[in-house]
Amino acid sequence: MAITTLFIGTDIDVPIDISGIAIDDITDISLILRKTKQADIVLTKLGGEITISGGDITARISKTAVTVPGNYQVRITVTDIGGKIRGLNANPARVTFE
């Protein structure tokens, strides 16, 4: 994920770069946006917000998902074919919504 400033009220397609696990071994992936005193925004493959096509992973943040501007922590977890859940480092670890 190389984007650090995003815009509220727009649909955003965000590429997700991962390492440490083969894309073919992923059964689900979650991207969590966390802001202090706000409910987490959770996007998942199983929920349809994250797509895997070939070697590319893309998260779709809908225009109604984020309504409060500010800084959000980014967290990524994946579930592998063995059912193991792994936390991955997000890059960047924070994004700003304006």
Side-chain angles (χ1 to χ4, degrees):
M1 212 171 140
I3 300 169
T4 57
T5 302
L6 305 172
F7 299 99
I8 292 174
T10 62
D11 290 326
I12 305 163
D13 290 327
V14 179
I16 300 173
D17 297 319
I18 63 164
S19 61
I21 185 171
I23 290 177
D24 291 341
D25 290 342
I26 296 172
T27 59
D28 195 19
I29 181 168
S30 298
L31 183 137
I32 301 155
L33 300 171
R34 179 170 288 160
K35 180 173 173 48
T36 304
K37 298 183 181 178
Q38 299 293 318
D40 286 351
I41 298 163
V42 181
L43 310 171
T44 66
K45 177 181 177 237
L46 293 177
E49 300 96 355
I50 298 178
T51 57
I52 299 175
S53 178
D56 297 322
I57 303 173
T58 304
R60 163 63 60 113
I61 303 172
S62 75
K63 62 185 175 184
T64 58
V66 179
T67 58
V68 178
N71 295 315
Y72 287 75
Q73 292 178 342
V74 180
R75 299 186 178 194
I76 297 173
T77 60
V78 297
T79 305
D80 67 19
I81 55 176
K84 185 183 209 181
I85 298 174
R86 303 177 186 197
L88 302 178
N89 292 326
N91 181 17
R94 291 184 183 276
V95 293
T96 301
F97 282 89
E98 298 179 345

